[in-house]
Amino acid sequence: MFHVKHLFKKRRRGLALGGGGVRALSSVGVLKHFDSNSIEFNCIAGTSMGAVVGALYCYYRSAELVEKKFRQIYEGVLFSKLKQEFSSRLKPMGTGDKSIKDTLTAYYSRMMFFKNIFTETFLISRENVTALIDEIIPDIDIENLPLEFCCVATDITRGRKKVFRSGPLKRAIMSTIAIPGILAPVKEDGIMYTDGGSVSMTPVEELGEMGADLKVAVEVFSCLPYRKNFDKGMEILERCSKITSFELHKRQLSGADVVISPAVKDLVWSDFNSFDYAIAAGETAAFGTEKAVRKF
């Protein structure tokens, strides 16, 4: 039965920040735009790098401070060390069609990449990633953050989604960013967790579970370009896998009331030289959306 008190109920705004490596840093730009327009959110859900951005925002309550923190890390020794390790293990996989030398280099790089992921659980050492997370993420439990937060990981042991709503924030972030084949899975009580992008690239559904009445999504899923020819079975397998992810993402995104799509979908997830571009793209994409959010 309707009661007059429902007219005065404070409605909750939720923000879902999608994963995608450097593409997800556009969420910082989106938050900067909302901050400049004095628009606040009651809860944030994040996946992978989107969860890193969301966790820092829930802690600092300032997009400017989040950006400052990322810049400090980006220019620091630890990140430089991790990039060097990444470059040495995960070779560029270009077409190499300019010369015979380029072709042979690309072929060797691809062979080394597949050799690594077929013979090892991960490519980047746990120690370096843990040290970086210790420097980025505050030592706090999720439930003690100033702003309500959750993040999504994939429970590969039982084959289902895991939503971290409480407990150590660092543990949750380590789980949601554990890119399969690149970063080590997080083990806890016999369960292994990896990157949340496998089950929820942009966690809109989680906002509803947090009681959000308005769901705003920042989605940075990589584009799925038109392609006519496939020469190898591996190419077809990769394409079908991406189509499955793309369709799942579209269905999950349909639950959002406002969708912000920064122009970063052509960026390679590991291209952190695009740091400034990604943030600026987020601010541009958010322009005008404050009207719909404020009207709510």
Side-chain angles (χ1 to χ4, degrees):
M1 183 177 69
F2 178 79
H3 194 282
V4 70
K5 67 180 180 181
H6 294 302
L7 294 173
F8 303 98
K9 176 188 174 183
K10 185 177 180 180
R11 309 192 76 187
R12 286 167 58 83
R13 295 173 180 150
L15 184 64
L17 303 182
V22 72
R23 297 192 299 271
L25 293 182
S26 58
S27 296
V28 178
V30 171
L31 286 164
K32 285 176 67 177
H33 181 75
F34 285 136
D35 278 359
S36 67
N37 284 276
S38 301
I39 291 177
E40 297 182 351
F41 289 87
N42 303 100
C43 55
I44 293 180
T47 294
S48 199
M49 184 60 79
V52 178
V53 175
L56 290 177
Y57 186 79
C58 288
Y59 182 75
Y60 291 113
R61 301 298 299 273
S62 164
E64 293 286 350
L65 290 179
V66 173
E67 181 181 9
K68 182 178 179 181
K69 184 67 174 178
F70 271 114
R71 289 191 184 282
Q72 289 174 346
I73 295 299
Y74 183 68
E75 297 167 1
V77 175
L78 275 175
F79 189 74
S80 177
K81 184 177 180 180
L82 192 139
K83 281 199 301 181
Q84 289 175 0
E85 181 182 14
F86 184 77
S87 297
S88 66
R89 302 295 304 282
L90 188 63
K91 305 286 186 180
M93 294 167 61
T95 58
D97 55 359
K98 293 183 179 180
S99 69
I100 294 177
K101 180 181 178 181
D102 288 340
T103 301
L104 291 173
T105 299
Y107 177 77
Y108 173 76
S109 297
R110 180 175 285 271
M111 290 296 291
M112 289 300 294
F113 168 70
F114 282 111
K115 172 184 175 295
N116 285 331
I117 64 171
F118 283 143
T119 59
E120 302 178 39
T121 306
F122 52 89
L123 299 184
I124 298 178
S125 65
R126 187 190 302 272
E127 292 75 15
N128 285 342
V129 177
T130 300
L132 192 65
I133 290 300
D134 283 341
E135 189 169 324
I136 298 174
I137 303 299
D139 189 12
I140 189 174
D141 285 343
I142 294 174
E143 61 268 33
N144 293 329
L145 286 167
L147 189 63
E148 188 176 355
F149 173 76
C150 78
C151 66
V152 178
T154 303
D155 174 350
I156 60 173
T157 301
R158 294 172 291 193
R160 63 192 190 192
K161 178 169 62 176
K162 166 66 177 180
V163 182
F164 289 93
R165 307 181 189 279
S166 61
L169 180 62
K170 289 183 179 181
R171 177 200 64 186
I173 294 299
M174 284 288 288
S175 299
T176 190
I177 68 168
I179 306 170
I182 307 297
L183 304 181
V186 173
K187 298 180 181 179
E188 181 180 322
D189 298 329
I191 306 298
M192 297 178 70
Y193 299 110
T194 61
D195 193 297
S198 300
V199 289
S200 184
M201 184 60 76
T202 310
V204 175
E205 181 181 353
E206 286 64 41
L207 293 180
E209 294 170 358
M210 297 167 85
D213 299 293
L214 178 75
K215 306 177 189 69
V216 179
V218 181
E219 65 96 14
V220 292
F221 195 80
S222 59
C223 59
L224 187 66
Y226 176 80
R227 181 175 174 180
K228 289 173 57 177
N229 300 314
F230 299 89
D231 300 322
K232 299 178 179 63
M234 179 60 75
E235 294 175 348
I236 297 174
L237 182 63
E238 290 175 350
R239 180 71 169 185
C240 290
S241 176
K242 192 162 187 178
I243 291 172
T244 299
S245 298
F246 190 76
E247 288 299 316
L248 173 63
H249 177 61
K250 284 197 303 184
R251 290 175 185 272
Q252 293 175 334
L253 203 61
S254 66
D257 300 296
V258 177
V259 177
I260 301 172
S261 301
V264 295
K265 296 188 177 185
D266 289 327
L267 294 180
V268 177
W269 69 269
S270 58
D271 181 17
F272 283 90
N273 290 326
S274 301
F275 180 91
D276 290 309
Y277 172 82
I279 293 178
E283 290 190 79
T284 300
F287 184 80
T289 60
E290 71 278 2
K291 297 176 183 178
V293 177
R294 182 178 286 117
K295 185 171 61 175
F296 173 78

